[in-house]
Amino acid sequence: MIYRLFTIVFLILFNFAFSEVYIPKTIAEKEEFSKLQKEKVVIGLINDPFYNLSYPKVKSLNDTVIDFFKNYLQLDVSFKIISYKNLKEEVMSGTVDGVALIPKNQCFNDTLLFSDSIFSEELFVISQTDPINSLDDLNNKTIYTSYMMSYSNILNAVLDNNDLSSHMIPVDSLSSYDDKLILTTNPVLYKPNYGVKIGNSSGVTIALSYKFKEILPFINNALKYGYRDVFLKNLNTLNRTISYNNFYTSLTPEEKKYLETLPPIKVAYENKTDSLVSYKSQIDGKYKGIAPNLLKILKNNLYIDFIDITNNESKTPSNLENNEFDTMVLSKTQTRSKNFIFSKKIYEIGTYVINLDSSPSSLRTIGVLKNNVEEHLARRYDVESNIIVFDDLESMINALNNGEVGNLLVTNKEDFDSNKYNIIPFETIPVNFMFNKDNIILKNIINKAFTHSINLKKLAEQSQLERETENKIINLRDKEVNKLLLMFSILFGFIIVTISTYLYKERLNKKSLLKDSLTDLPNRFIFDKFCSEENSLTGSTFVVDLNNFKNINDSLGHEFGDVILKEFATFLKNTFIDSHIFRISGDEFYGFSFDNQEQIIEKLKKYKEFCPTLLKYNITFNLGISHKSSNITLATSFRYSDLAMLETKKEKNKFFKIADDDFIKKMDRESSLLSLLKEDIRGIYALFQPKYCIKNNKIIGAESLARYSSLELGPIGPFEFIPIAEKYNFIHKVDYKIAKESIVFVKELLESGASLNNFRISFNISMKTFKRNDLISIISGLLNYFKVPGKYIEIEITESIFVLDMKDLINKLKALKALGIQISLDDFTAGHSTAGLLPLLPIDIVKFDKSLLDSLEINQEKGMIVYKNLISLIKDLNFKIVSEGVETKEQLEFLEFLNVDYVQGYYFSKPISKEEFTMEVRNL
């Protein structure tokens, strides 16, 4: 009975997997499917450049869909090519009964049912010119997309989760925008130079209307039992063919000729290394890792053959130089670069400094393996007398354990028990393929192969997963053996754990006694311990940061820099004998003293008497001081001192600053605001202050004013959050958000049918935002995306903007005006004298600052003369005038008398919400 059941199941699976037509499993299914085969169905095929792409002997994916329906399922299907742009309209109107190769999409949930996933897609934003390498690089950029909303929704979600925003513009053909940033699932089509992965789509499917939902189970069965493999095979073949074509067309005629006669390339791995780059498998003895996997891809996709000639004998650069093989996997060093050439970087491996807790700080010798990259790295940072070279790892570790060497520099930290050794990350080392210098054509070919066929980040992730899987297999294999030893080791293990715990605590106690090896001052570890254990102390904390030290270090070398640090550290130790002085990092020193703040300042002023080297090379310092009371922690007091020190660097009027109560209050408030703004800029919103035509008293527009409200702190005025946004370099986020709200508001007014003749909404663009290269693309992208003509928009700039490069400024102003936007000079005469620049600027409107009207209250006669002459100047230049800050009837009458064009101020209206403003406009 079991045998018969197995035979039936096998025949069913065999039929599904190997039949040229779909065969239902039961008589009932066969009868139902026969009825469905008589139905006439119209399937939409997406007019996607990737789905349509084919080569000789390589079918397009859309052709595979046609084969699937007509030849395999033998359904009565006709096909209609549809674009992403018209997809929703075609589905909703019922002109197609289904769509093939469409990602699952919530906007079609009411009209379509989706099959099981056929294959997955990865989403990328790519560019030919913009150097985008991370999600942060997409912030406030314009990105061109197809009309497939599911892709745009994924990008929006990813950006939102990372507190980023971009402006997406859907277009019919992405290939027309390949010089811009584009969102695509197939970057290989566009040969980008830069790109960042966004995520994965929900899976490509076949979707059918509810009318033909009975066909869907048969489609899923057909995919499950064989045809999904057909799609995947065609997909992989297509990708390989595109990669090969891109690669081959990038070759020079000389490289093509070389490739035609190229024998298998002999490659050697380092047989003594065990890193993710290459390692010898403990399961099958073959070399695995990033480099071997990379070569497999090149072989499969580009038909470049490789032979692994690594064996138990050590392979060295000398063997490569003797042409015993063609390339080996090594790190690029200055020494090796004299005799060899290198491919692009394929990976970076970490290096680590290993030492024992008991190593005396004076023992600075470092051990390295002979002819390894660690030896080169050590020589870069240390003197020859401190470097000890070993032939093998075992003798090197023994030398460390016996105290014959103070430190080891290694690439594989897995050889060292973290309970016994200090393992300190040092520096990452790039790994490359190395070639003889006469093999430059091969090197160039390999580099081009990387460009057109390899995603190194994804390859590293796959290799890491492969290694973890192998380790699990080895662990499972060893588990059976270990099980026999487990019972015998439990008691022994308990003893070891107890002893190890005791030794670990002892090591921590010893570690707290370690000092900075250069200055002999307590290091950060001791500083952290001091801050956690001595919070009851009262006194003064101070932070000192040397100026001009980096330039001296770079120009005269690190050894000379060490002399300066030692000299200054000695001065601090001798000056603050009863205090606690720490070297935190680089040229930064922290101190706690029982002296008052004035005494600390006077003591530090004497550095000129004791630090001749600092004086000679003009090295000064900045100082921040804070009183440490009993009700705050040391860490908090040091933070205030550090903030005060940083403030002196900005103010530059004196070398020290005391963190008094007002400063602390200001910093705490700023810190709270900064945290809120960084977490949620969505609290920024726009209010609109109407502008009126002085002749007819009608609204001619409004100024968008940024406001901020948070649940924690409530409403926050612009005079508080705008400076913070400018200080911490995210004012462009505020500007672009208000710009977007303003443009959206215009769109809403237009759609509501409001009369907007000679009407404009204005918003401010700050000096820092104007410096950005994306300004024009962002504004034009917003106008295009929301379909708002530029004639309804006015951009306000302030006089402070004229510190920028004048040529760049004028070019950007002209570009904005080319969009139909009017330019307004805001806050005229509020602080800069720019009257001489007015004839040069492509502006339309000048806004008189409120201070001009206020001056009339101080000296009416002179104020009126100034106002009248300024208006005459502006009128002669054919600019319109807006007077801000109108608060009284007398001021309005004065402006009417002078023939001012437009006014705004509290006399007419305070800033109001867009709902209130909409009511005002409708009442016109």
Side-chain angles (χ1 to χ4, degrees):
M1 180 67 182
I2 294 175
Y3 174 77
R4 288 182 62 194
L5 181 61
F6 174 80
T7 302
I8 293 170
V9 171
F10 173 78
L11 289 174
I12 291 170
L13 294 178
F14 183 87
N15 281 335
F16 272 116
F18 299 104
S19 293
E20 293 184 358
V21 296
Y22 177 79
I23 301 175
K25 292 184 289 184
T26 66
I27 294 174
E29 285 183 0
K30 184 177 181 180
E31 290 176 354
E32 183 182 358
F33 192 60
S34 296
K35 294 178 183 177
L36 294 173
Q37 286 177 312
K38 298 174 183 177
E39 296 279 356
K40 293 186 180 294
V41 185
V42 180
I43 298 293
L45 297 177
I46 301 293
N47 189 19
D48 183 283
F50 183 71
Y51 295 163
N52 290 332
L53 193 62
S54 64
Y55 294 93
K57 299 182 180 179
V58 181
K59 283 183 181 180
S60 73
L61 290 173
N62 276 340
D63 284 338
T64 306
V65 170
I66 293 171
D67 278 351
F68 175 65
F69 277 105
K70 293 188 76 68
N71 299 328
Y72 187 69
L73 293 178
Q74 295 187 322
L75 294 170
D76 188 2
V77 176
S78 59
F79 299 92
K80 181 178 182 180
I81 301 296
I82 54 178
S83 66
Y84 283 122
K85 184 176 183 179
N86 297 327
L87 174 60
K88 189 169 185 178
E89 180 183 342
E90 297 274 5
V91 171
M92 296 302 182
S93 65
T95 56
V96 294
D97 302 309
V99 184
L101 303 186
I102 177 178
K104 292 181 180 177
N105 196 327
Q106 289 184 352
C107 69
F108 291 119
N109 278 352
D110 295 335
T111 51
L112 295 177
L113 291 167
F114 295 90
S115 74
D116 295 340
S117 176
I118 304 173
F119 55 84
S120 61
E121 291 180 309
E122 294 178 320
L123 271 175
F124 298 85
V125 174
I126 60 173
S127 171
Q128 294 280 4
T129 54
D130 284 6
I132 51 171
N133 300 297
S134 68
L135 285 174
D136 287 342
D137 294 331
L138 303 181
N139 198 28
N140 293 315
K141 294 289 178 67
T142 298
I143 301 172
Y144 292 86
T145 73
S146 69
Y147 280 89
M148 178 52 72
M149 289 300 297
S150 61
Y151 298 153
S152 302
N153 291 341
I154 292 170
L155 176 57
N156 267 326
V158 171
L159 292 173
D160 190 53
N161 289 339
N162 289 275
D163 195 24
L164 305 170
S165 65
S166 294
H167 307 290
M168 278 165 274
I169 300 177
V171 294
D172 290 322
S173 174
L174 288 176
S175 59
S176 301
Y177 297 85
D178 58 2
D179 59 334
K180 311 290 186 184
L181 268 64
I182 61 175
L183 177 70
T184 178
T185 57
N186 303 106
V188 69
L189 290 178
Y190 306 97
K191 303 179 186 177
N193 293 315
Y194 307 98
V196 59
K197 181 180 175 182
I198 300 302
N200 297 293
S201 77
S202 53
V204 174
T205 68
I206 294 171
L208 293 176
S209 66
Y210 281 81
K211 176 182 176 182
F212 293 105
K213 64 181 181 180
E214 291 83 3
I215 297 177
L216 208 58
F218 295 99
I219 290 176
N220 285 336
N221 281 338
L223 293 172
K224 181 179 179 181
Y225 293 112
Y227 221 90
R228 179 181 286 107
D229 292 336
V230 175
F231 275 107
L232 291 175
K233 181 180 178 181
N234 286 9
L235 177 66
N236 291 332
T237 302
L238 190 59
N239 277 320
R240 284 200 305 271
T241 306
I242 295 171
S243 295
Y244 181 78
N245 281 357
N246 289 345
F247 162 68
Y248 194 76
T249 54
S250 72
L251 298 178
T252 64
E254 185 182 17
E255 288 167 348
K256 290 177 181 178
K257 185 175 180 181
Y258 180 89
L259 194 61
E260 289 171 3
T261 58
L262 182 66
I265 298 169
K266 297 176 183 177
V267 60
Y269 307 111
E270 289 185 280
N271 58 11
K272 290 186 178 180
T273 62
D274 185 34
S275 72
L276 191 63
V277 176
S278 64
Y279 62 91
K280 193 171 185 178
S281 170
Q282 297 181 41
I283 296 176
D284 58 16
K286 295 180 180 179
Y287 274 87
K288 296 183 178 179
I290 292 173
N293 287 340
L294 186 152
L295 298 182
K296 284 181 187 176
I297 293 173
L298 296 183
K299 184 174 182 177
N300 291 336
N301 289 7
L302 307 180
Y303 313 108
I304 302 175
D305 203 2
F306 296 88
I307 298 176
D308 176 9
I309 55 92
T310 314
N311 52 37
N312 292 328
E313 295 180 6
S314 179
K315 304 296 182 184
T316 68
S318 297
N319 300 117
L320 176 60
E321 202 165 13
N322 293 333
N323 292 314
E324 296 177 24
F325 44 87
D326 301 301
T327 184
M328 66 187 306
V329 182
L330 283 175
S331 295
K332 183 179 181 180
T333 67
Q334 289 181 345
T335 302
R336 290 171 182 166
S337 295
K338 294 176 183 177
N339 302 313
F340 301 97
I341 54 178
F342 293 81
S343 73
K344 294 178 182 177
K345 177 179 68 178
I346 62 173
Y347 190 60
E348 285 185 342
I349 57 175
T351 58
Y352 305 88
V353 174
I354 311 293
N355 58 39
L356 290 163
D357 290 343
S358 57
S359 298
S361 59
S362 60
L363 190 56
R364 297 181 62 204
T365 53
I366 187 161
V368 293
L369 284 175
K370 186 177 181 180
N371 292 329
N372 274 30
V373 71
E374 299 96 295
E375 181 182 355
H376 161 76
L377 205 57
R379 295 188 195 283
R380 188 196 305 169
Y381 289 103
D382 217 330
V383 295
E384 188 72 30
S385 58
N386 279 344
I387 300 170
I388 302 175
V389 180
F390 293 88
D391 291 324
D392 58 79
L393 181 64
E394 184 178 355
S395 60
M396 190 166 72
I397 295 175
N398 288 336
L400 178 65
N401 293 335
N402 296 331
E404 298 166 13
V405 65
N407 306 278
L408 305 181
L409 185 61
V410 301
T411 54
N412 190 11
K413 65 179 180 178
E414 307 303 327
D415 293 322
F416 299 90
D417 182 358
S418 60
N419 288 323
K420 180 178 179 181
Y421 300 96
N422 276 329
I423 303 174
I424 307 164
F426 185 60
E427 186 174 308
T428 57
I429 303 172
V431 180
N432 318 70
F433 283 109
M434 187 169 80
F435 306 87
N436 281 321
K437 283 193 171 181
D438 59 0
N439 226 346
I440 189 169
I441 295 180
L442 177 59
K443 183 211 78 168
N444 291 339
I445 290 173
I446 295 298
N447 278 343
K448 289 179 179 180
F450 289 174
T451 300
H452 296 289
S453 192
I454 303 296
N455 182 333
L456 289 172
K457 184 177 179 182
K458 186 175 181 180
L459 183 64
E461 293 171 354
Q462 291 173 341
S463 300
Q464 180 66 43
L465 180 62
E466 185 181 60
R467 177 147 202 189
E468 290 172 357
T469 303
E470 177 164 314
N471 288 338
K472 287 178 182 178
I473 293 171
I474 294 169
N475 289 337
L476 288 172
R477 186 180 65 186
D478 294 342
K479 194 173 181 180
E480 295 301 319
V481 177
N482 292 337
K483 195 182 292 184
L484 299 174
L485 300 173
L486 181 61
M487 293 183 63
F488 298 100
S489 63
I490 289 176
L491 182 59
F492 180 71
F494 174 77
I495 296 170
I496 292 297
V497 167
T498 304
I499 295 173
S500 296
T501 303
Y502 172 78
L503 292 176
Y504 180 69
K505 290 180 180 179
E506 284 296 302
R507 279 196 293 275
L508 285 180
N509 290 332
K510 290 178 183 177
K511 199 169 190 177
S512 67
L513 300 176
L514 291 176
K515 294 186 177 181
D516 174 52
S517 59
L518 177 65
T519 63
D520 205 35
L521 286 173
N523 59 16
R524 178 175 279 279
F525 182 86
I526 305 173
F527 170 76
D528 291 339
K529 192 171 187 294
F530 172 74
C531 287
S532 64
E533 295 178 357
E534 303 294 342
N535 281 307
S536 61
L537 291 175
T538 58
S540 300
T541 61
F542 60 94
V543 172
V544 181
D545 184 81
L546 298 182
N547 294 321
N548 201 35
F549 176 75
K550 184 179 184 302
N551 293 334
I552 296 294
N553 222 9
D554 293 341
S555 58
L556 299 180
H558 290 275
E559 290 184 4
F560 189 80
D562 289 351
V563 171
I564 291 171
L565 292 174
K566 288 178 183 178
E567 182 179 87
F568 191 67
T570 302
F571 162 68
L572 291 176
K573 281 186 285 187
N574 294 336
T575 304
F576 297 94
I577 297 173
D578 296 324
S579 303
H580 300 268
I581 307 296
F582 309 89
R583 183 191 175 201
I584 299 302
S585 63
D587 56 353
E588 199 168 58
F589 299 85
Y590 281 26
F592 172 84
S593 176
F594 296 102
D595 295 333
N596 63 38
Q597 295 160 352
E598 289 73 18
Q599 289 171 322
I600 292 171
I601 293 168
E602 291 305 314
K603 284 183 177 182
L604 285 170
K605 283 181 179 178
K606 296 179 180 179
Y607 84 99
K608 295 180 180 179
E609 301 174 24
F610 300 97
C611 301
T613 311
L614 273 73
L615 196 61
K616 180 179 179 181
Y617 289 94
N618 194 31
I619 296 177
T620 58
F621 58 82
N622 291 96
L623 168 67
I625 314 175
S626 174
H627 173 63
K628 163 62 176 77
S629 60
S630 58
N631 61 343
I632 64 170
T633 65
L634 275 165
T636 300
S637 184
F638 275 113
R639 182 171 70 85
Y640 291 143
S641 297
D642 187 51
L643 290 170
M645 183 274 294
L646 293 173
E647 199 73 12
T648 63
K649 288 182 177 289
K650 298 169 189 170
E651 294 177 352
K652 298 181 180 179
N653 55 353
K654 56 184 178 180
F655 77 95
F656 70 89
K657 187 172 186 66
I658 297 173
D660 55 21
D661 290 342
D662 289 340
F663 177 82
I664 290 171
K665 186 177 179 181
K666 175 188 172 186
M667 288 297 106
D668 286 346
R669 173 72 173 179
E670 184 175 298
S671 177
S672 299
L673 287 175
L674 178 61
S675 297
L676 287 173
L677 286 165
K678 278 190 170 182
E679 287 176 9
D680 188 9
I681 201 170
R682 287 173 294 184
I684 300 286
Y685 64 96
L687 289 181
F688 301 90
Q689 186 170 34
K691 297 179 188 176
Y692 290 81
C693 176
I694 204 165
K695 291 180 179 179
N696 56 25
N697 205 27
K698 287 189 176 181
I699 293 176
I700 51 87
E703 179 181 0
S704 298
L705 299 168
R707 296 293 185 263
Y708 182 71
S709 181
S710 81
L711 294 174
E712 293 86 345
L713 300 179
I716 300 159
F719 293 106
E720 193 170 8
F721 73 81
I722 292 294
I724 292 174
E726 289 179 335
K727 180 178 178 180
Y728 293 98
N729 294 318
F730 58 87
I731 186 64
H732 63 282
K733 291 187 177 182
V734 177
D735 287 348
Y736 289 154
K737 190 171 194 300
I738 297 302
K740 181 179 179 181
E741 287 200 16
S742 303
I743 291 169
V744 169
F745 185 34
V746 171
K747 179 182 175 67
E748 291 172 355
L749 288 172
L750 289 170
E751 290 177 344
S752 70
S755 176
L756 301 184
N757 292 330
N758 298 316
F759 179 96
R760 288 182 300 278
I761 295 288
S762 68
F763 50 83
N764 191 271
I765 296 293
S766 68
M767 178 182 69
K768 287 190 173 182
T769 306
F770 235 93
K771 290 170 66 175
R772 294 175 61 88
N773 293 328
D774 63 357
L775 171 67
I776 306 303
S777 63
I778 292 294
I779 300 300
S780 64
L782 286 169
L783 293 173
N784 289 334
Y785 186 79
F786 293 107
K787 296 181 174 59
V788 171
K791 67 179 182 179
Y792 296 113
I793 300 300
E794 177 184 317
I795 287 180
E796 299 189 10
I797 59 176
T798 63
E799 292 180 307
S800 63
I801 208 167
F802 301 124
V803 301
L804 301 178
D805 175 74
M806 189 56 64
K807 182 178 179 181
D808 181 61
L809 171 62
I810 291 175
N811 286 338
K812 285 177 178 173
L813 291 175
K814 288 180 177 178
L816 291 169
K817 286 180 68 65
L819 298 172
I821 295 170
Q822 289 207 349
I823 306 298
S824 171
L825 177 60
D826 193 13
D827 297 340
F828 183 62
T829 71
H832 293 73
S833 178
T834 55
L837 293 173
L838 289 176
L840 305 176
L841 300 173
I843 62 175
D844 305 282
I845 300 165
V846 176
K847 295 186 74 175
F848 280 22
D849 186 66
K850 181 180 182 294
S851 61
L852 279 174
L853 277 179
D854 293 341
S855 68
L856 298 176
E857 302 296 326
I858 301 170
N859 190 322
Q860 186 174 20
E861 183 178 350
K862 289 184 178 179
M864 291 176 69
I865 293 171
V866 171
Y867 218 103
K868 182 178 179 180
N869 287 329
L870 284 174
I871 286 176
S872 177
L873 168 67
I874 301 304
K875 290 285 186 181
D876 286 344
L877 292 171
N878 291 321
F879 297 142
K880 296 290 186 181
I881 297 174
V882 176
S883 286
E884 295 182 295
V886 180
E887 296 180 349
T888 66
K889 184 179 180 182
E890 291 73 20
Q891 289 174 338
L892 177 61
E893 289 173 347
F894 169 67
L895 296 173
E896 286 176 336
F897 172 74
L898 294 178
N899 201 26
V900 168
D901 300 291
Y902 311 121
V903 288
Q904 70 181 91
Y906 274 45
Y907 179 76
F908 296 95
S909 173
K910 64 180 182 179
I912 56 179
S913 68
K914 68 178 183 179
E915 289 78 16
E916 293 172 302
F917 186 85
T918 302
M919 293 298 295
E920 293 286 338
V921 173
R922 286 178 177 170
N923 290 333
L924 292 178

